[in-house]
Amino acid sequence: MAPEELELVVSVPPHIREREEVFQIMFWVILGLLPATLGGIYFFHFYAIKVIVLSILAAVATEALFQKARRLPVTINDGSAIVTGLLLALCLPPKVPWWIPVVGGFIAIFLGKQIFGGLGYNIFNPALVARAVLLLSWAEHMTKDWYTALKVDAIARASPLFLAKQVKMGLFQLDLTRFYKICLFGNPSGCIGEVSVLLLLIGGGILLWREIIDWRIPAGFIGSVAVLCPLLGMDPIFHVLAGGLILGAFFMATDYVTSPITPNGRLLFGIGCGVITILLRSYSILLEGVTYAILFMNACTPLIDKYIQPRRFGVSKGK
């Protein structure tokens, strides 16, 4: 081989790059969310369309305006702002006032993403940052503006998780197995994206099939909930199906930027999300717990990446 044909390139990692661009990944995420989105529109009609459109427009407009103000290239065509707006909308009740998704879209992009430097630099999932702020600021709208509240034993304006909390507190008796079918096929007293676990699983299956997400995070998330619930005297099937656990496990916790990069780290991340979710549902005043569990584990991601690393090739365990 001639000396001029030898080429040695020394550079910082990553050395192996995926062929897919950001907009292609976002396309598949949107496609994965499509079944649950259409299900929400089918059950909640105009209310769901209003929330989804306003949330996406607010997120896209905020990203464009913020990048324009900073004289940066406008990157709304990569679809990440659309995904953030759509995820936020699916975390909202269908009958919230029009300004809730608008304020949420602004918070998600400005406070959850751009303030850290934009896509790839955010520490927390932007949509969940917005949901947490909205939940703390306007709890009345975020917890009671359901399309049709469940009515059980004279308790109205209730979601399945609210009723489960009442049962756990011993306020009345109720067989939670009656909610299996409701949560699986059509729950009218939840957020737009929580209307059907079956539709979420179809979307999650699309992302797994396309290898957009790693199975370890949803498996660790759902598996830890299923294992921990019986130990705390809770119904594991109900708590897997109820609330936003499936939405969070497949579409929120698997965010590339805010989850660990190693396989074992991702499994630990998912387990942590599940454990914290059940602890919050069991011992706090919160009904849901998924939002704060994922945000807490987002904060732990740098620590997980530091200590959960694959063994270097050719290096023994003792070295």
Side-chain angles (χ1 to χ4, degrees):
M1 180 177 294
E4 61 271 19
E5 295 179 349
L6 294 174
E7 184 176 1
L8 177 63
V9 178
V10 179
S11 65
V12 296
H15 303 297
I16 302 175
R17 297 179 182 276
E18 293 286 347
R19 294 181 180 178
E20 292 176 312
E21 301 291 339
V22 172
F23 76 90
Q24 292 175 303
I25 295 173
M26 297 302 162
F27 166 79
W28 283 107
V29 174
I30 293 172
L31 193 64
L33 289 169
L34 192 58
T37 303
L38 294 178
I41 293 173
Y42 174 79
F43 279 95
F44 304 136
H45 313 296
F46 170 76
Y47 298 105
I49 296 174
K50 179 189 69 175
V51 172
I52 292 169
V53 170
L54 289 176
S55 180
I56 292 176
L57 287 179
V60 172
T62 302
E63 179 142 297
L65 291 174
F66 193 86
Q67 290 174 332
K68 278 280 189 183
R70 295 187 61 198
R71 297 183 180 179
L72 297 173
V74 177
T75 60
I76 57 174
N77 291 333
D78 65 13
S80 61
I82 296 175
V83 169
T84 298
L86 180 56
L87 282 172
L88 173 63
L90 297 181
C91 294
L92 298 177
K95 282 192 173 181
V96 291
W98 66 268
W99 49 267
I100 288 282
V102 173
V103 173
F106 171 80
I107 293 173
I109 297 299
F110 177 71
L111 193 61
K113 182 178 174 183
Q114 291 297 335
I115 203 170
F116 292 102
L119 182 64
Y121 297 97
N122 50 294
I123 301 173
F124 303 101
N125 184 297
L128 290 181
V129 170
R131 188 176 192 278
V133 173
L134 293 174
L135 195 58
L136 291 173
S137 304
W138 296 284
E140 180 76 11
H141 292 303
M142 293 293 290
T143 57
K144 293 185 178 179
D145 285 346
W146 315 124
Y147 185 71
T148 302
L150 296 175
K151 297 180 180 179
V152 179
D153 294 342
I155 295 180
R157 298 179 67 82
S159 67
L161 285 175
F162 175 83
L163 295 171
K165 180 74 79 174
Q166 302 296 303
V167 171
K168 185 173 179 58
M169 294 170 64
L171 298 181
F172 67 98
Q173 298 294 322
L174 181 65
D175 183 9
L176 295 179
T177 59
R178 64 191 298 177
F179 296 115
Y180 290 177
K181 186 177 180 180
I182 293 175
C183 294
L184 196 58
F185 297 108
N187 174 21
S189 59
C191 295
I192 296 171
E194 301 171 3
V195 69
S196 169
V197 168
L198 180 62
L199 295 177
L200 289 170
L201 290 176
I202 291 172
I206 292 173
L207 298 187
L208 290 172
W209 168 60
R210 290 294 304 174
E211 297 183 348
I212 300 297
I213 63 174
D214 190 333
W215 62 269
R216 293 172 180 83
I217 293 179
F221 201 152
I222 298 169
S224 59
V225 169
V227 170
L228 192 58
C229 276
L231 301 178
L232 298 175
M234 303 164 72
D235 185 333
I237 299 177
F238 172 82
H239 280 280
V240 168
L241 297 178
L245 193 140
I246 298 297
L247 178 64
F250 282 93
F251 296 97
M252 302 287 199
T254 51
D255 178 20
Y256 287 171
V257 181
T258 57
S259 62
I261 59 174
T262 63
N264 290 337
R266 289 172 178 171
L267 183 60
L268 178 62
F269 179 90
I271 293 172
C273 289
V275 170
I276 295 171
T277 296
I278 289 304
L279 291 179
L280 289 175
R281 286 186 180 183
S282 182
Y283 297 110
S284 76
I285 61 172
L286 296 174
L287 301 177
E288 178 57 84
V290 172
T291 296
Y292 296 105
I294 296 177
L295 290 175
F296 179 82
M297 291 308 295
N298 287 161
C300 296
T301 293
L303 198 64
I304 295 173
D305 282 336
K306 180 178 180 180
Y307 290 105
I308 308 296
Q309 295 184 359
R311 188 186 307 173
R312 287 179 293 172
F313 181 75
V315 178
S316 64
K317 188 175 181 180
K319 295 184 178 180

